[in-house]
Amino acid sequence: MNKVIPYGRQNISSDDIEAVIEVLHSDYLTQGPLVPKFEQKVAQYCQASMAVAVNSATSALHIACLALGVKAEDNVWTSPISFVASANCALYCGANIDFVDIDVNTGNMSITALAKKLAIAKLNNCLPKVVIPVHLAGQSCDMQAIAELAKQYDFAIIEDASHAIGAKYQNLPVGNCLYSDICVFSFHPVKIVTSAEGGMALTNQPKLAKHLRQYRSHGIVTEPSLFTEPSHGPWYYQQQTLGFNYRMTELQAALGISQLNRLDDFVAKRNELAKTYDQAFSKTVLDSLYQNIETYSSYHLYVIQLPYNCANIHKKIFTSLREKGIFSQVHYIPIHMQPYYQQLGFSFGDFPNAEQYYLNSISIPLYPDLTSQEQQYVIDTLLALLEN
Ligand SMILES: *Cc1c(COP(=O)(O)O)cnc(C)c1O
C-alpha cells in the first residue's frame, strides 16, 4: 500500500460543498441566519437548552471560564491527558491551573484521585472554582460522580467534550449539561463533525448563555432590554465588558449544519470500526481503552495500549508504523510535561498514571472513510510488528 493512512480525517460530501457555496452567493458571510440555526440544531440534538457557537473549542473553553467568573487567584483543575487547550483556558483568565491524575484504564480523570485531591484542597483552603473533565477519545467521564463532588465542594464543571459529540452517557446525549454547567465541542477537521475551525458551548443556564454571547463578540450587547442606560437611537449598542471576536462565520455554520445530518452515521461507523479492532486485538497483548457500561463512545480515537512501559518500544512501533504508511498519533503528551508548564512549576513524576499512559498509548487510524482493506492492513502491520 503506498497511500498514507492518517489517524483521523474529515468526510466531506457534495451536500457539504453545496451548502458552503450557497453561503458564498448569499448576503451574509458572517452574522447571518445560519450560526443561530447551527446552535439550535446542536442544542436540540444534545437536549440542552442553549448553545453558543464560536470559532474554536479553545475559544469556547476560554469564554466558558470567563462566564463562570474565573479570574486571577482562582484554581482550575483538568486532566493532564488532554490537548493543551483544556488547561490554557484557565491561564488566559489569570487563574492557577492544576491537574487531576487519570484512570489508566479509560484515560479519563480518575474519580478517586479527584476526591482525594479535593479533600486535601479543602484542608488547605485552595478548592478549585472550576473542574474541566475531558471525555478522552469520545468516552464520557463519570459525570454523575463528578457532579456529586461538585455539590459537596462547591465547584463548577465545564465538560471538554471536544471528542464526544454524538456520544452518550447513561443513555442520554453528551452535551445535555445534566451534570455540568457548560459543555464544549470542537469542530476541527479531525473531530467527529467539522466546520473547518469551530466550537460550541452548551448550557442550560440562561445567565451563562448571556455571558458566553457577550464574551464571544467584544463584550457588546445589542438587545435594548439589556442596556444599562437609555439608548441613544436605533444605531445604539453597549460594550459592557471586555470581550473578544470569537465569532463563527456563516460558511462554517453551513458546513457544520450539513455535517450534523451524518453525525449518527459517523459515530455508528466509528463504533463498527472500533469493534473490528477490538476483535482483532482480543487475543493479543494489546489493550484498548476500557469502556464503561454507562457510556457509548463517539470513538474520536482508537487508542491501543502496549503492554510495555518503555519509551524505546513505544517509539519503535510508532516509527515502524510510519515507515509503512500508517500515520498514527499519540494522544497526548501529558500537559504538565510541556516546557511551558514545567516553567510554571510542574515536573515529571507529578502525575504518574498520566505519564505511564503516555508511554504505552498510540492512536491508530479511525475515521468514517477508513476502508476495511485499509483497516486490515493496519491490523496486520501492527500484529507483525508486535511479533518482532
Ligand atoms: C481539539 C481539542 C481542543 C481544541 O479544539 P479547537 O477547536 O481546535 O480549538 C480542546 N480540547 C480537546 C480535548 C481537543 O481534542
Side-chain angles (χ1 to χ4, degrees), residues 4 8 92 94 121 139 185 201-202 207 227 232 278 298 319 338 378:
V4 163
Y92 296 158
Q139 176 175 212
F185 292 131
L202 282 69
K207 204 172 127 196
F227 292 162
H232 301 178
D278 283 344
S298 54
T319 311
Q338 293 289 353
V378 174

Side-chain angles (χ1 to χ4, degrees), residues 55-59 61 82-86 134-135 160-163 184-188 190-191 197-199 300 332:
N55 57 1
S56 72
T58 302
S59 304
L61 288 164
S82 185
F83 184 55
V84 291
S86 308
V134 180
H135 303 324
D160 184 345
S162 291
H163 301 178
V184 167
F185 292 131
S186 170
F187 306 124
H188 182 277
V190 294
K191 307 290 164 70
E197 295 282 359
H300 163 52
Y332 291 91

Side-chain angles (χ1 to χ4, degrees), residues 19 23 26 28-44 49-56 63 187 195 197-202 212-213 216-217 245-258 260:
V23 174
S26 79
Y28 297 100
L29 300 185
T30 189
Q31 293 178 289
L34 294 181
V35 168
K37 186 175 169 190
F38 186 30
E39 291 173 336
Q40 203 180 358
K41 279 188 175 288
V42 173
Q44 202 165 24
S49 37
M50 286 150 287
V52 179
V54 287
N55 57 1
S56 72
I63 61 174
F187 306 124
S195 61
E197 295 282 359
M200 210 176 277
L202 282 69
L212 289 166
R213 292 209 175 92
R216 160 176 74 179
S217 198
N245 180 352
Y246 281 171
R247 293 186 306 259
M248 175 180 272
T249 68
E250 290 285 285
L251 297 158
Q252 292 169 307
L255 179 54
I257 291 167
S258 179
L260 276 185

Side-chain angles (χ1 to χ4, degrees), residues 25-167:
H25 288 299
S26 79
D27 289 337
Y28 297 100
L29 300 185
T30 189
Q31 293 178 289
L34 294 181
V35 168
K37 186 175 169 190
F38 186 30
E39 291 173 336
Q40 203 180 358
K41 279 188 175 288
V42 173
Q44 202 165 24
Y45 179 91
C46 294
Q47 300 171 20
S49 37
M50 286 150 287
V52 179
V54 287
N55 57 1
S56 72
T58 302
S59 304
L61 288 164
H62 180 195
I63 61 174
C65 285
L66 290 174
L68 288 164
V70 173
K71 56 187 188 316
E73 313 297 322
D74 285 335
N75 299 305
V76 174
W77 295 358
T78 188
S79 169
I81 294 295
S82 185
F83 184 55
V84 291
S86 308
N88 288 346
C89 58
L91 301 179
Y92 296 158
C93 305
N96 307 313
I97 188 77
D98 202 354
F99 302 94
V100 180
D101 210 351
I102 60 158
D103 171 343
V104 283
N105 297 314
T106 60
N108 280 336
M109 182 181 282
S110 156
I111 304 300
T112 321
L114 176 61
K116 214 180 268 178
K117 198 176 172 97
L118 285 165
I120 296 168
K122 184 170 177 146
L123 290 176
N124 296 329
N125 211 12
C126 59
L127 282 166
K129 182 164 203 164
V130 174
V131 172
I132 308 178
V134 180
H135 303 324
L136 188 74
Q139 176 175 212
S140 176
C141 295
D142 187 352
M143 291 310 300
Q144 189 173 354
I146 296 172
E148 276 161 21
L149 290 167
K151 217 171 260 171
Q152 189 183 340
Y153 290 99
D154 193 29
F155 59 83
I157 301 173
I158 300 170
E159 290 172 79
D160 184 345
S162 291
H163 301 178
I165 193 169

